[in-house]
Amino acid sequence: MASTACLRASGSIASFSATKAASTPSSRTSSFCGVRIAPAAPKSTVRASTRGSARAYGEPKYDINKFKFEPIRESTVAREMTRRYMTDMITHAETDVIVVGAGSAGLSAAYEISKNPNVKVAIIEQSVSPGGGAWLGGQLFSAMIVRKPAQAFLDDIGVPYEEMDTYVVIKHAALFTSTIMSKLLARPNVKLFNAVAAEDLIIRDGAVGGVVTNWSLVSQNHDTQSCMDPNAMESKVVVSSCGHDGPMGATGVKRLKSVGLVDNVPGMKALDMNKAEDAVVALTRMVVPGMIVTGMEVAEIEGAPRMGPTFGAMMISGQKAGHLALQALGLPNAIDGTMVSESGVVPELILADADDTTASA
């Protein structure tokens, strides 16, 4: 029997809900797994945008024919960008979870982990534009195919789709990627460092403890310049979602092999959609202490088939990696059944069994 990655109980593993009273920011409450969490003290006032509201159809807020921006100094812009980025680097020099690779699996993992607002998540992406191959379907076509029951994850993040018999269709893959990124990056416990490459791993006593970073353009030009040393970020858990083999693909597991922490990285097998998606979810796991592998990088280290232009396994593998990270942090998670829903009932989560015959086929 083929293994499945099935989410039930209101269509998601867990829910993170926030309600905001009409009075002050201090009235905001949140819950994670049904447990109420005290809000952090507000550091600044954030004014919500009214764009897209009903006001857009009422009296305009300005005369477009006489529009004029408020004045600003160029140095103010420079200081704002620099101060905030440097603050983020200092904050995440030591963080809870680092997700390497912001493709569909990495974004799904970060989304799931960051539902717990007390977990700091840093995402490292070598490209200027995160999203990996999830901006388009197969052969540069638009539609994204997601096999059931992974559409429950789409329900969780709010992506519309057309329902078919055994699968659903998102009219454009960019709709998924832009939606999950907008939800993820709005969370205060998440920082995306794009145009940044993970050049190496921090490894102590056989355990991964972070990543070695550099600007992507620097990483791509080490052979053309003199020595350009990197930086480093420590973490309690690294989630490697670097995709299949390529110029910067599968770099996490290839590095583990080169330092002798894993014996073999056989590479992915030829395409078999039905076996591939079950196998990728089934074999998503912590491969060495401190490092979880998800997405197509799983196929590389396990020799599993590739699945081609179906994306459900990327989402569910990312979810599973997220809960493995929460488990490693000693926090409520769906892997060991400590995740509870708003009603206090443990949601029914069926994750593919790594010993399943489909996964090993």
Side-chain angles (χ1 to χ4, degrees), residues 155-230:
D155 295 335
D156 188 18
I157 62 177
V159 174
Y161 52 79
E162 180 183 356
E163 187 154 357
M164 308 301 285
D165 184 18
T166 60
Y167 60 93
V168 301
V169 182
I170 304 169
K171 71 175 185 177
H172 201 297
L175 182 58
F176 163 78
T177 304
S178 59
T179 301
I180 192 170
M181 281 203 297
S182 66
K183 299 286 181 67
L184 175 63
L185 298 182
R187 291 175 174 168
N189 55 329
V190 176
K191 170 62 184 178
L192 167 67
F193 294 94
N194 49 329
V196 174
E199 290 191 333
D200 203 349
L201 300 171
I202 299 173
I203 300 175
R204 306 187 192 92
D205 301 321
V208 174
V211 297
V212 178
T213 62
N214 216 327
W215 306 120
S216 294
L217 290 176
V218 173
S219 294
Q220 295 169 28
N221 285 279
H222 281 306
D223 295 336
T224 66
Q225 303 291 326
S226 59
C227 179
M228 294 175 284
D229 282 334

Side-chain angles (χ1 to χ4, degrees), residues 240 243-246 249-269 285 287-288 291 293 296-304:
S240 188
H244 53 69
D245 196 16
T251 51
V253 297
K254 287 189 287 189
R255 185 55 172 155
L256 292 181
K257 180 185 177 184
S258 70
V259 298
L261 287 184
V262 298
D263 296 329
N264 191 27
V265 180
M268 64 183 178
K269 294 179 182 177
R285 70 189 196 285
V287 292
V288 298
M291 181 166 149
V293 174
M296 285 309 299
E297 198 167 10
V298 174
E300 290 289 336
I301 192 172
E302 297 296 341

